[in-house]
CSV table of all heavy atoms in Angstrom, one decimal:
chain,number,residue,atom,x,y,z
C,1,ASP,N,-19.5,18.2,2.6
C,1,ASP,CA,-18.6,17.2,1.8
C,1,ASP,C,-17.2,17.9,1.7
C,1,ASP,O,-16.2,17.2,1.4
C,1,ASP,CB,-19.1,16.8,0.5
C,1,ASP,CG,-20.4,16.1,0.6
C,1,ASP,OD1,-20.7,15.5,1.6
C,1,ASP,OD2,-21.2,16.1,-0.5
C,2,TRP,N,-17.2,19.2,1.8
C,2,TRP,CA,-15.9,19.9,1.7
C,2,TRP,C,-15.0,20.0,2.9
C,2,TRP,O,-13.9,20.5,2.8
C,2,TRP,CB,-16.1,21.3,1.2
C,2,TRP,CG,-16.9,21.4,-0.2
C,2,TRP,CD1,-16.8,20.5,-1.1
C,2,TRP,CD2,-17.7,22.6,-0.6
C,2,TRP,NE1,-17.7,21.0,-2.2
C,2,TRP,CE2,-18.2,22.3,-1.9
C,2,TRP,CE3,-18.0,23.8,-0.1
C,2,TRP,CZ2,-18.9,23.0,-2.6
C,2,TRP,CZ3,-18.8,24.6,-0.8
C,2,TRP,CH2,-19.2,24.3,-2.1
C,3,ILE,N,-15.5,19.6,4.0
C,3,ILE,CA,-14.8,19.7,5.3
C,3,ILE,C,-13.5,18.9,5.1
C,3,ILE,O,-13.5,17.7,4.7
C,3,ILE,CB,-15.6,19.2,6.4
C,3,ILE,CG1,-16.7,20.2,6.7
C,3,ILE,CG2,-14.7,19.1,7.7
C,3,ILE,CD1,-17.8,19.7,7.7
C,4,GLY,N,-12.3,19.5,5.5
C,4,GLY,CA,-11.1,18.8,5.3
C,4,GLY,C,-10.4,19.0,3.9
C,4,GLY,O,-9.3,18.6,3.7
C,5,LYS,N,-11.2,19.7,3.0
C,5,LYS,CA,-10.7,19.9,1.7
C,5,LYS,C,-10.3,21.3,1.4
C,5,LYS,O,-10.8,22.3,2.2
C,5,LYS,CB,-11.7,19.5,0.7
C,5,LYS,CG,-12.0,17.9,0.8
C,5,LYS,CD,-12.9,17.5,-0.3
C,5,LYS,CE,-13.1,16.0,-0.1
C,5,LYS,NZ,-14.0,15.4,-1.0
C,6,GLN,N,-9.6,21.7,0.4
C,6,GLN,CA,-9.3,23.1,0.1
C,6,GLN,C,-10.1,23.5,-1.2
C,6,GLN,O,-10.3,22.7,-2.0
C,6,GLN,CB,-7.8,23.1,-0.3
C,6,GLN,CG,-6.9,23.1,0.9
C,6,GLN,CD,-5.5,23.5,0.8
C,6,GLN,OE1,-5.1,24.1,-0.2
C,6,GLN,NE2,-4.7,23.3,1.9
C,7,LEU,N,-10.6,24.7,-1.1
C,7,LEU,CA,-11.2,25.3,-2.2
C,7,LEU,C,-10.5,26.4,-2.9
C,7,LEU,O,-9.8,27.2,-2.2
C,7,LEU,CB,-12.6,25.9,-1.7
C,7,LEU,CG,-13.6,25.0,-1.0
C,7,LEU,CD1,-14.8,25.7,-0.6
C,7,LEU,CD2,-14.0,23.8,-1.9
C,8,SER,N,-10.5,26.5,-4.1
C,8,SER,CA,-9.9,27.6,-4.8
C,8,SER,C,-11.1,28.5,-5.3
C,8,SER,O,-12.0,28.0,-6.0
C,8,SER,CB,-9.1,27.2,-6.1
C,8,SER,OG,-8.0,26.5,-5.6
C,9,VAL,N,-11.0,29.8,-5.0
C,9,VAL,CA,-12.0,30.8,-5.3
C,9,VAL,C,-11.3,32.0,-5.8
C,9,VAL,O,-10.6,32.6,-4.9
C,9,VAL,CB,-13.0,31.1,-4.2
C,9,VAL,CG1,-14.2,32.0,-4.7
C,9,VAL,CG2,-13.5,29.9,-3.4
C,10,GLY,N,-11.5,32.5,-7.0
C,10,GLY,CA,-10.7,33.5,-7.5
C,10,GLY,C,-9.2,33.2,-7.3
C,10,GLY,O,-8.8,32.1,-7.7
C,11,SER,N,-8.5,34.1,-6.8
C,11,SER,CA,-7.1,33.9,-6.5
C,11,SER,C,-6.8,33.5,-5.1
C,11,SER,O,-5.6,33.3,-4.7
C,11,SER,CB,-6.2,35.1,-6.9
C,11,SER,OG,-6.6,36.2,-6.1
C,12,ALA,N,-7.8,33.1,-4.3
C,12,ALA,CA,-7.7,32.7,-2.9
C,12,ALA,C,-7.8,31.2,-2.8
C,12,ALA,O,-8.4,30.6,-3.6
C,12,ALA,CB,-8.8,33.4,-2.1
C,13,GLN,N,-7.1,30.7,-1.7
C,13,GLN,CA,-7.2,29.3,-1.4
C,13,GLN,C,-7.8,29.2,0.0
C,13,GLN,O,-7.3,29.8,0.9
C,13,GLN,CB,-5.8,28.7,-1.4
C,13,GLN,CG,-5.8,27.1,-1.3
C,13,GLN,CD,-6.0,26.4,-2.6
C,13,GLN,OE1,-5.7,27.0,-3.7
C,13,GLN,NE2,-6.5,25.2,-2.6
C,14,LEU,N,-8.9,28.4,0.2
C,14,LEU,CA,-9.5,28.3,1.5
C,14,LEU,C,-9.5,26.8,1.9
C,14,LEU,O,-9.6,25.9,1.1
C,14,LEU,CB,-11.0,28.7,1.3
C,14,LEU,CG,-11.3,30.1,0.8
C,14,LEU,CD1,-12.7,30.3,0.7
C,14,LEU,CD2,-10.6,31.2,1.6
C,15,GLN,N,-9.3,26.7,3.2
C,15,GLN,CA,-9.3,25.3,3.8
C,15,GLN,C,-10.7,25.2,4.6
C,15,GLN,O,-11.0,26.0,5.5
C,15,GLN,CB,-8.1,25.1,4.8
C,15,GLN,CG,-8.2,23.8,5.7
C,15,GLN,CD,-7.9,22.6,4.8
C,15,GLN,OE1,-7.1,22.7,4.0
C,15,GLN,NE2,-8.7,21.6,5.1
C,16,VAL,N,-11.5,24.3,4.2
C,16,VAL,CA,-12.9,24.1,4.9
C,16,VAL,C,-12.6,23.3,6.1
C,16,VAL,O,-12.1,22.2,6.0
C,16,VAL,CB,-13.8,23.4,3.9
C,16,VAL,CG1,-15.2,23.3,4.7
C,16,VAL,CG2,-14.0,24.3,2.6
C,17,ASP,N,-12.9,23.9,7.3
C,17,ASP,CA,-12.5,23.4,8.5
C,17,ASP,C,-13.6,22.5,9.2
C,17,ASP,O,-13.4,21.5,9.8
C,17,ASP,CB,-12.0,24.4,9.4
C,17,ASP,CG,-10.8,25.1,8.9
C,17,ASP,OD1,-9.8,24.4,8.4
C,17,ASP,OD2,-10.7,26.4,8.9
C,18,GLN,N,-14.8,23.1,9.3
C,18,GLN,CA,-15.9,22.5,10.1
C,18,GLN,C,-17.2,23.2,9.8
C,18,GLN,O,-17.3,24.2,9.1
C,18,GLN,CB,-15.5,22.7,11.6
C,18,GLN,CG,-15.7,24.2,12.1
C,18,GLN,CD,-15.2,24.4,13.5
C,18,GLN,OE1,-14.2,23.8,13.9
C,18,GLN,NE2,-15.9,25.0,14.3
C,19,TYR,N,-18.3,22.4,10.3
C,19,TYR,CA,-19.6,23.0,10.2
C,19,TYR,C,-19.8,24.2,10.9
C,19,TYR,O,-19.0,24.4,12.0
C,19,TYR,CB,-20.6,22.0,10.7
C,19,TYR,CG,-21.0,21.0,9.7
C,19,TYR,CD1,-20.6,19.5,9.9
C,19,TYR,CD2,-21.8,21.2,8.5
C,19,TYR,CE1,-21.0,18.6,9.0
C,19,TYR,CE2,-22.2,20.3,7.7
C,19,TYR,CZ,-21.8,19.0,7.8
C,19,TYR,OH,-22.2,18.0,7.0
C,20,CYS,N,-20.7,25.1,10.7
C,20,CYS,CA,-21.1,26.2,11.5
C,20,CYS,C,-22.3,25.8,12.3
C,20,CYS,O,-23.4,25.5,11.7
C,20,CYS,CB,-21.4,27.3,10.5
C,20,CYS,SG,-22.1,28.7,11.5
C,21,GLU,N,-22.2,25.8,13.5
C,21,GLU,CA,-23.2,25.5,14.5
C,21,GLU,C,-24.0,26.8,14.6
C,21,GLU,O,-23.6,27.8,15.1
C,21,GLU,CB,-22.8,25.0,15.8
C,21,GLU,CG,-23.9,24.6,16.7
C,21,GLU,CD,-23.4,23.9,18.0
C,21,GLU,OE1,-22.6,23.0,17.9
C,21,GLU,OE2,-23.9,24.3,19.1
C,22,ARG,N,-25.4,26.8,14.3
C,22,ARG,CA,-26.2,28.0,14.2
C,22,ARG,C,-26.7,28.4,15.7
C,22,ARG,O,-26.9,27.6,16.6
C,22,ARG,CB,-27.3,27.8,13.3
C,22,ARG,CG,-26.9,27.5,11.9
C,22,ARG,CD,-25.7,28.1,11.4
C,22,ARG,NE,-25.8,29.6,11.3
C,22,ARG,CZ,-25.3,30.4,10.3
C,22,ARG,NH1,-24.7,29.8,9.3
C,22,ARG,NH2,-25.3,31.6,10.4
C,23,CYS,N,-27.0,29.7,15.7
C,23,CYS,CA,-27.5,30.2,17.0
C,23,CYS,C,-28.8,31.0,16.8
C,23,CYS,O,-29.3,31.1,15.5
C,23,CYS,CB,-26.4,31.1,17.7
C,23,CYS,SG,-26.2,32.6,16.7
C,24,MET,N,-29.3,31.7,17.7
C,24,MET,CA,-30.5,32.5,17.6
C,24,MET,C,-30.5,33.6,16.6
C,24,MET,O,-31.5,34.1,16.1
C,24,MET,CB,-30.9,33.1,19.0
C,24,MET,CG,-31.3,32.2,20.1
C,24,MET,SD,-32.8,31.3,19.6
C,24,MET,CE,-34.0,32.5,19.8
C,25,MET,N,-29.4,34.0,16.1
C,25,MET,CA,-29.3,35.1,15.1
C,25,MET,C,-30.0,34.7,13.8
C,25,MET,O,-30.5,35.7,13.2
C,25,MET,CB,-27.8,35.4,14.7
C,25,MET,CG,-27.1,36.2,15.9
C,25,MET,SD,-27.8,37.7,16.4
C,25,MET,CE,-27.6,38.6,14.9
C,26,ILE,N,-30.1,33.4,13.4
C,26,ILE,CA,-30.7,33.1,12.2
C,26,ILE,C,-32.3,33.3,12.3
C,26,ILE,O,-33.0,33.3,11.3
C,26,ILE,CB,-30.4,31.7,11.7
C,26,ILE,CG1,-31.0,30.6,12.7
C,26,ILE,CG2,-28.9,31.6,11.5
C,26,ILE,CD1,-30.9,29.2,12.1
C,27,THR,N,-32.8,33.4,13.6
C,27,THR,CA,-34.3,33.6,13.7
C,27,THR,C,-34.7,35.0,13.4
C,27,THR,O,-35.9,35.2,13.4
C,27,THR,CB,-34.7,33.2,15.2
C,27,THR,OG1,-34.1,34.2,16.1
C,27,THR,CG2,-34.2,31.8,15.6
C,28,ILE,N,-33.9,35.9,13.2
C,28,ILE,CA,-34.2,37.3,13.0
C,28,ILE,C,-34.3,37.6,11.5
C,28,ILE,O,-33.3,37.5,10.8
C,28,ILE,CB,-33.1,38.2,13.7
C,28,ILE,CG1,-33.1,38.0,15.2
C,28,ILE,CG2,-33.4,39.7,13.5
C,28,ILE,CD1,-32.0,38.7,15.9
C,29,ASP,N,-35.5,38.1,11.2
C,29,ASP,CA,-35.7,38.5,9.8
C,29,ASP,C,-34.8,39.8,9.6
C,29,ASP,O,-34.9,40.8,10.2
C,29,ASP,CB,-37.1,38.9,9.6
C,29,ASP,CG,-37.5,39.2,8.2
C,29,ASP,OD1,-37.0,40.3,7.8
C,29,ASP,OD2,-38.2,38.5,7.5
C,30,PRO,N,-34.0,39.7,8.5
C,30,PRO,CA,-33.1,40.9,8.3
C,30,PRO,C,-33.8,42.2,7.8
C,30,PRO,O,-33.2,43.3,8.1
C,30,PRO,CB,-32.2,40.4,7.1
C,30,PRO,CG,-32.9,39.3,6.5
C,30,PRO,CD,-33.8,38.7,7.6
C,31,ASP,N,-35.0,42.1,7.4
C,31,ASP,CA,-35.7,43.3,7.1
C,31,ASP,C,-36.6,43.9,8.1
C,31,ASP,O,-36.6,45.0,8.5
C,31,ASP,CB,-36.7,43.1,5.8
C,31,ASP,CG,-35.8,42.8,4.5
C,31,ASP,OD1,-34.7,43.6,4.4
C,31,ASP,OD2,-36.2,42.0,3.8
C,32,THR,N,-37.3,43.0,8.9
C,32,THR,CA,-38.2,43.5,9.9
C,32,THR,C,-37.7,43.4,11.3
C,32,THR,O,-38.3,43.9,12.2
C,32,THR,CB,-39.6,42.6,9.8
C,32,THR,OG1,-39.3,41.2,10.3
C,32,THR,CG2,-40.2,42.6,8.5
C,33,LEU,N,-36.6,42.6,11.4
C,33,LEU,CA,-36.0,42.3,12.8
C,33,LEU,C,-36.9,41.5,13.7
C,33,LEU,O,-36.6,41.3,14.9
C,33,LEU,CB,-35.6,43.6,13.4
C,33,LEU,CG,-34.5,44.5,12.7
C,33,LEU,CD1,-34.1,45.7,13.5
C,33,LEU,CD2,-33.4,43.6,12.3
C,34,GLU,N,-38.0,40.9,13.1
C,34,GLU,CA,-38.9,40.1,13.9
C,34,GLU,C,-38.3,38.7,13.9
C,34,GLU,O,-37.8,38.1,13.0
C,34,GLU,CB,-40.2,40.0,13.2
C,34,GLU,CG,-41.1,41.2,13.2
C,34,GLU,CD,-41.4,41.8,14.6
C,34,GLU,OE1,-41.8,40.9,15.3
C,34,GLU,OE2,-41.4,42.9,14.9
C,35,PRO,N,-38.3,38.1,15.2
C,35,PRO,CA,-37.7,36.8,15.4
C,35,PRO,C,-38.8,35.7,15.0
C,35,PRO,O,-40.0,35.9,15.1
C,35,PRO,CB,-37.4,36.7,16.8
C,35,PRO,CG,-38.3,37.7,17.5
C,35,PRO,CD,-38.6,38.7,16.5
C,36,ASP,N,-38.3,34.5,14.5
C,36,ASP,CA,-39.1,33.5,14.2
C,36,ASP,C,-38.3,32.2,14.7
C,36,ASP,O,-37.5,31.7,14.0
C,36,ASP,CB,-39.5,33.3,12.8
C,36,ASP,CG,-40.6,32.1,12.5
C,36,ASP,OD1,-40.6,31.2,13.5
C,36,ASP,OD2,-41.2,32.2,11.6
C,37,LYS,N,-38.5,31.8,16.0
C,37,LYS,CA,-37.8,30.7,16.6
C,37,LYS,C,-38.0,29.4,15.9
C,37,LYS,O,-37.2,28.5,16.1
C,37,LYS,CB,-38.1,30.6,18.1
C,37,LYS,CG,-37.6,31.9,18.8
C,37,LYS,CD,-37.9,31.7,20.3
C,37,LYS,CE,-37.5,33.1,20.9
C,37,LYS,NZ,-37.8,33.1,22.4
C,38,SER,N,-39.1,29.2,15.1
C,38,SER,CA,-39.3,28.0,14.5
C,38,SER,C,-38.2,27.6,13.5
C,38,SER,O,-38.0,26.4,13.3
C,38,SER,CB,-40.6,28.0,13.7
C,38,SER,OG,-40.6,28.8,12.6
C,39,LEU,N,-37.5,28.6,13.0
C,39,LEU,CA,-36.3,28.3,12.0
C,39,LEU,C,-35.2,27.6,12.7
C,39,LEU,O,-34.7,26.6,12.3
C,39,LEU,CB,-35.8,29.6,11.4
C,39,LEU,CG,-34.6,29.4,10.4
C,39,LEU,CD1,-34.9,28.3,9.3
C,39,LEU,CD2,-34.2,30.7,9.9
C,40,LEU,N,-34.8,28.1,13.9
C,40,LEU,CA,-33.7,27.5,14.7
C,40,LEU,C,-34.2,26.1,15.1
C,40,LEU,O,-33.4,25.1,15.0
C,40,LEU,CB,-33.3,28.3,15.9
C,40,LEU,CG,-32.1,27.8,16.7
C,40,LEU,CD1,-30.9,27.8,15.8
C,40,LEU,CD2,-31.9,28.7,17.9
C,41,LYS,N,-35.4,26.0,15.5
C,41,LYS,CA,-35.9,24.6,15.9
C,41,LYS,C,-35.9,23.6,14.7
C,41,LYS,O,-35.4,22.5,14.9
C,41,LYS,CB,-37.4,24.7,16.4
C,41,LYS,CG,-38.1,23.4,16.8
C,41,LYS,CD,-39.4,23.7,17.3
C,41,LYS,CE,-39.9,22.2,17.8
C,41,LYS,NZ,-41.3,22.4,18.2
C,42,LYS,N,-36.2,24.1,13.5
C,42,LYS,CA,-36.1,23.2,12.3
C,42,LYS,C,-34.7,22.9,12.0
C,42,LYS,O,-34.4,21.7,11.6
C,42,LYS,CB,-36.7,23.8,11.1
C,42,LYS,CG,-36.8,23.1,9.9
C,42,LYS,CD,-37.6,21.7,10.1
C,42,LYS,CE,-39.1,21.9,10.3
C,42,LYS,NZ,-39.8,20.5,10.4
C,43,VAL,N,-33.8,23.8,12.1
C,43,VAL,CA,-32.4,23.6,11.8
C,43,VAL,C,-31.8,22.6,12.9
C,43,VAL,O,-31.0,21.7,12.5
C,43,VAL,CB,-31.5,24.8,11.9
C,43,VAL,CG1,-30.0,24.6,11.8
C,43,VAL,CG2,-31.9,25.8,10.7
C,44,ASN,N,-32.2,22.7,14.1
C,44,ASN,CA,-31.8,21.8,15.1
C,44,ASN,C,-32.3,20.3,14.9
C,44,ASN,O,-31.6,19.3,14.9
C,44,ASN,CB,-32.3,22.2,16.5
C,44,ASN,CG,-31.8,21.3,17.6
C,44,ASN,OD1,-30.7,20.9,17.6
C,44,ASN,ND2,-32.7,21.1,18.6
C,45,GLU,N,-33.6,20.2,14.6
C,45,GLU,CA,-34.3,18.9,14.3
C,45,GLU,C,-33.8,18.2,13.1
C,45,GLU,O,-33.4,17.1,13.1
C,45,GLU,CB,-35.8,19.1,14.2
C,45,GLU,CG,-36.5,19.5,15.5
C,45,GLU,CD,-38.0,19.9,15.2
C,45,GLU,OE1,-38.4,20.0,14.1
C,45,GLU,OE2,-38.6,20.1,16.2
């Protein structure tokens, strides 16, 4: 809902431009580095 709008955070001003299209990086567990492709599949679906 913020796309096209400006946000004020602290003393900064941000312009929200677009969605982030996700890639395979989200499938990697940050602790174990084990991939789980079902997450990207769910985000896609």
